[in-house]
Amino acid sequence: MMAKIDYVLDRVTMYRLVLYVLIGLLGLATILSFFKLFSFTPLELILSTLFLVLVCWAMNAILAHVLEVPANVESSYITALILALIIDPAKSPGDLQFLGWAAILAMSSKYIVTINRKHIFNPAALAVVITSFVLSESASWWIGTMSMLPAVLISGWLIAHKLRQEDMVWSFCASAFVSVTAVTLAQGGNLLTLLNELKQLLILSPLFFYAFIMLTEPLTAPPTKKLRRLYGILTGVLFIPQLHIGSIYSTPELALVVGNVFSYLVSPKLKVLLRLVKKNKEAPDIIDFVFKPSQQLAFIPGQYMEFTLAHPHPDSRGNRRYFTLASSPTERVLHLGVRFYEEGSSYKRAMVSMDKQVQVVAAQIAGDFTLPSDPNQKLVFIAGGIGITPFRSMLKYLLDTQQRRDIVLFYANKTVNEIIYKDVLSAAQTKLGVKAFYTLTDTNSVPRNWRGLVGRINTQMILRAIPDYDERTYYLSGPPDMVRAYEQVLRDMGVSSQQIKKDFFPGLV
């Protein structure tokens, strides 16, 4: 069952999945409002949602044009739909003022409330914080009802699972649960009072919508698992309404804004402009893009970034993508290895055709798929196809810093002409003693003079190449289906989950 869910999720982009979930939740709420389960009518919800979408879209377009920066239309729709789910629909023309200002402030925050071109706050959360203090109009978070809870749990879990952020979500929920319990008991509450407070938290509050939809936004969440767990714990404590300073009580939106400040403080601050230097065709469907950044990048080999490429008529996947950096931080240029398909997105088509005049914005350095701090730890790199990019980054870094590590590399491709970054891989073998095993999975296309392996990586291949296989840490990178298959091979061999690291970044899904 999980394999089927993962298969479906792999074929939907992150932003599109969030968009689908929000549309689905609003659709369900529209149906439920027919049965008087909400205080608003279906028409009021539909008209208010359309109004928010229109204002967010218009402000996004205007600000992008005035400030001459790429606009992400899909992001404006997501922000509008979130606002529609947390602010009561307008019941009269006068109520549109609150909706309009919330939409304007949300979109403006993405362009104006920034540091080094990086926006800090969740747009919807910041907007309703400002309106609360300035207009005395607060978000009701009407999505937090028992009737919507099953749909929120199911659809929200899909988002968290796709982003591999379940640990942050549960850290947040557990923190809120413990905080409510501790505060209630400290204030002299009895068991009945505690049960009522927990019921309010778990069933009659926006806890899960907040956790799955708001907290998991990649651009305002910390870059690593450990920091994301701390982020979840902090916002969980601040989420509970019993906390207050004087007359100012904690609200979900205020908790998230404070959490965003923490995230910003512990996250890389870099956002750079990239100019294309050249495009190297590494394989029939793979291009290595070489960019010159506006300033030197500081990152850890194996990490990824978000790239925004403005182009005419973007499709529903938008103008943002995540790519693993194929570069080493020791290089002055930035390498991106990208695979292309016949029915590619508008973004990929724009990449193929871009020239040296095109400007790309890179931001949000993140990722835990990095070398261990212990140089004596024995490693195995298993790459499939374009999954070689983080290993190119790591090996190039080890070459440039002259670090020798005990590394065995397995590199699987369908055909021999799909093998890329041969110069770095060859140098790593010669200068660092890296043991590399290449295998071709298309048995009908193996050259006569091929000296490598043939077939998918299996138990026998690993045992023959690595006698001490059970002492090593395994790094898996490639298409999600391949990573899952090779993880299962390792688990069947008795390799524990603690010895397996899987490359994951939002661009993979």
Side-chain angles (χ1 to χ4, degrees), residues 1-14 16-18 20-21 154-164 166 480-481 484 504 506-509:
M1 183 63 181
M2 282 297 301
K4 291 182 179 179
I5 292 174
D6 286 331
Y7 178 83
V8 173
L9 290 178
D10 288 344
R11 280 142 186 82
V12 184
T13 65
M14 175 190 63
R16 189 179 298 182
L17 175 61
V18 174
Y20 290 165
V21 165
I154 295 170
S155 59
W157 177 83
L158 291 175
I159 292 173
H161 182 67
K162 185 178 182 66
L163 291 172
R164 306 298 191 268
E166 298 100 326
D481 287 342
R484 282 191 288 270
F504 173 79
L508 284 174
V509 290

Side-chain angles (χ1 to χ4, degrees), residues 32-221:
L32 294 177
S33 64
F34 271 110
F35 299 97
K36 311 297 183 182
L37 293 178
F38 293 104
S39 62
F40 48 80
T41 67
L43 184 59
E44 289 168 348
L45 178 58
I46 292 171
L47 292 179
S48 296
T49 300
L50 291 176
F51 176 74
L52 285 166
V53 169
L54 178 62
V55 176
C56 284
W57 171 82
M59 281 302 300
N60 191 54
I62 291 170
L63 289 168
H65 176 73
V66 171
L67 299 176
E68 297 182 341
V69 295
N72 190 301
V73 177
E74 200 168 28
S75 176
S76 70
Y77 295 153
I78 290 172
T79 299
L81 298 184
I82 289 175
L83 290 172
L85 286 162
I86 67 175
I87 300 176
D88 281 337
K91 296 181 180 296
S92 66
D95 294 336
L96 292 176
Q97 178 182 2
F98 178 25
L99 294 179
W101 276 114
I104 290 170
L105 290 169
M107 299 316 300
S108 298
S109 73
K110 297 178 63 175
Y111 292 92
I112 298 173
V113 187
T114 63
I115 299 178
N116 294 328
R117 303 190 185 95
K118 174 180 171 62
H119 81 258
I120 304 166
F121 301 105
N122 180 286
L126 182 62
V128 292
V129 166
I130 295 174
T131 56
S132 175
F133 284 102
V134 177
L135 302 178
S136 297
E137 296 275 9
S138 300
S140 65
W141 294 86
W142 62 263
I143 183 67
T145 61
M146 186 180 297
S147 58
M148 294 294 294
L149 183 59
V152 169
L153 285 173
I154 295 170
S155 59
W157 177 83
L158 291 175
I159 292 173
H161 182 67
K162 185 178 182 66
L163 291 172
R164 306 298 191 268
Q165 291 189 5
E166 298 100 326
D167 56 341
M168 181 176 70
V169 168
W170 302 131
S171 295
F172 164 78
C173 293
S175 175
F177 184 93
V178 171
S179 298
V180 165
T181 302
V183 171
T184 301
L185 296 178
Q187 293 176 345
N190 55 29
L191 180 60
L192 182 60
T193 303
L194 176 60
L195 291 176
N196 286 332
E197 291 290 346
L198 292 177
K199 176 184 176 182
Q200 181 70 33
L201 174 71
L202 299 174
I203 299 177
L204 302 176
S205 84
L207 178 79
F208 294 108
F209 176 83
Y210 182 95
F212 288 125
I213 306 295
M214 309 285 281
L215 204 64
T216 57
E217 186 200 20
L219 288 179
T220 53

Side-chain angles (χ1 to χ4, degrees), residues 395-427:
L395 294 174
K396 178 61 175 170
Y397 175 76
L398 294 176
L399 283 165
D400 290 346
T401 56
Q402 299 181 13
Q403 295 186 45
R404 294 181 67 92
R405 297 203 183 195
D406 189 341
I407 298 173
V408 177
L409 168 68
F410 283 94
Y411 185 16
N413 287 282
K414 286 185 179 180
T415 60
V416 68
N417 59 359
E418 292 181 348
I419 299 173
I420 63 173
Y421 298 132
K422 299 174 186 177
D423 55 340
V424 173
L425 301 182
S426 178

Side-chain angles (χ1 to χ4, degrees), residues 175-379:
S175 175
F177 184 93
V178 171
S179 298
V180 165
T181 302
V183 171
T184 301
L185 296 178
Q187 293 176 345
N190 55 29
L191 180 60
L192 182 60
T193 303
L194 176 60
L195 291 176
N196 286 332
E197 291 290 346
L198 292 177
K199 176 184 176 182
Q200 181 70 33
L201 174 71
L202 299 174
I203 299 177
L204 302 176
S205 84
L207 178 79
F208 294 108
F209 176 83
Y210 182 95
F212 288 125
I213 306 295
M214 309 285 281
L215 204 64
T216 57
E217 186 200 20
L219 288 179
T220 53
T224 64
K225 286 185 178 180
K226 181 179 179 180
L227 290 173
R228 284 195 292 268
R229 292 191 189 105
L230 292 174
Y231 177 58
I233 292 171
L234 172 64
T235 49
V237 172
L238 298 176
F239 180 85
I240 66 172
Q242 293 96 328
L243 292 181
H244 67 95
I245 300 176
S247 60
I248 300 177
Y249 281 78
S250 182
T251 61
E253 60 269 23
L254 191 56
L256 188 55
V257 166
V258 174
N260 290 160
V261 173
F262 165 80
S263 178
Y264 175 78
L265 292 176
V266 299
S267 299
K269 312 299 187 295
L270 199 62
K271 192 167 188 178
V272 300
L273 301 178
L274 305 177
R275 290 287 184 184
L276 182 67
V277 176
K278 59 182 177 179
K279 293 183 283 190
N280 301 319
K281 192 168 185 179
E282 294 278 337
D285 59 351
I286 297 177
I287 296 176
D288 177 58
F289 292 85
V290 184
F291 294 98
K292 179 67 175 178
S294 56
Q295 62 187 94
Q296 187 67 24
L297 288 173
F299 60 94
I300 303 173
Q303 290 190 304
Y304 63 85
M305 293 185 74
E306 183 193 60
F307 297 84
T308 302
L309 173 60
H311 59 280
H313 313 298
D315 58 22
S316 60
R317 297 187 65 180
N319 58 12
R320 296 190 295 193
R321 289 292 186 281
Y322 290 88
F323 295 110
T324 293
L325 302 177
S327 311
S328 161
T330 55
E331 296 179 280
R332 293 185 177 276
V333 293
L334 188 72
H335 287 263
L336 293 184
V338 183
R339 183 183 292 277
F340 293 87
Y341 302 92
E342 289 185 9
E343 300 296 327
S345 64
S346 63
Y347 187 103
K348 290 287 188 74
R349 293 195 297 270
M351 284 195 79
V352 170
S353 61
M354 69 179 176
D355 56 28
K356 295 183 180 181
Q357 303 305 313
V358 175
Q359 195 173 74
V360 180
V361 180
Q364 194 70 6
I365 296 173
D368 296 289
F369 195 73
T370 56
L371 289 166
S373 56
D374 181 4
N376 296 315
Q377 191 169 341
K378 299 177 180 180
L379 308 175

